[in-house]
Each structure stands twice: as C-alpha cells, then as structure tokens.
C-alpha cells in the first residue's frame, strides 16, 4: 500500500495522465489491476508503460512563455537558468 496517496486514477483497458510533483523527495508509484490471477495465468497479459521525466525536462516552456509573456530570449534565459539549477542539484546530490 502507498503511504500517502497524492494522486489516484482509475482507467479501463487504457489510460494516460500527467502529474507534476510540487514536493521534492521519494515518490512511489503503485499500480493495481482488477484482473483475477486466473485470467493472467490463463495467458492474459498486463502491459504497463511508464514515461517518467524529472528536472527541468518536465517544464512546458511554450506554456510558460505564453503565460508570462516572455520573448524568445527571455524564455531561453529561463531554460538555461533551470538547467544550471538542475546541475547544481545533481552536484550536491553526488557530494
């Protein structure tokens, strides 16, 4: 069981969602299927694809530019500052 549920979703045979964590730290992803064990042992398949992005790669820069009315140069400067911040975090983690 997950310690504290931050986001919970239910889907049919397929589903997709995007989630941005606003708190740092360790996160767990818990997946549950409502299929019976017999269905899985009888040749049924359960396929899960996770695409997890972290750091500055998760920012939607076109959306940020539109919201904050940034010029192309200002947007590029924001991207570079985010990259530098991410590098600093990684270096601090390595230490």
């Amino acid at each position: 069981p997950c310690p504290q549920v931050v986001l919970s979703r239910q889907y049919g045979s397929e589903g997709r969602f995007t989630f941005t964590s606003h708190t740092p730290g360790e996160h767990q992803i818990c997946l549950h299927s409502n299929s019976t064990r017999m269905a899985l042992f009888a040749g049924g398949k359960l396929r899960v694809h996770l695409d997890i992005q972290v750091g500055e790669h998760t920012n939607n820069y076109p959306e940020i530019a539109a919201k904050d009315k940034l010029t192309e140069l200002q947007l590029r400067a924001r991207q570079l500052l985010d990259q530098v911040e991410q590098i600093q975090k990684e270096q601090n983690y390595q230490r």
Side-chain angles (χ1 to χ4, degrees), residues 28-93:
Q28 295 180 356
I29 298 172
C30 303
L31 303 172
H32 303 277
S33 171
N34 61 357
S35 297
T36 64
R37 288 181 183 216
M38 293 303 280
L40 292 176
F41 286 125
K45 294 182 180 177
L46 178 63
R47 181 179 296 175
V48 176
H49 173 79
L50 296 176
D51 180 8
I52 300 174
Q53 298 179 351
V54 297
E56 81 280 359
H57 303 294
T58 62
N59 292 336
N60 185 340
Y61 287 106
E63 183 179 295
I64 291 171
K67 188 181 92 174
D68 293 344
K69 297 181 175 66
L70 301 177
T71 66
E72 189 174 332
L73 182 59
Q74 289 171 321
L75 180 63
R76 186 64 183 136
R78 171 88 56 99
Q79 288 174 311
L80 290 172
L81 287 171
D82 288 346
Q83 288 174 349
V84 167
E85 183 178 333
Q86 186 64 31
I87 290 168
Q88 287 175 331
K89 286 179 181 178
E90 288 175 13
Q91 287 176 336
N92 287 337
Y93 174 77

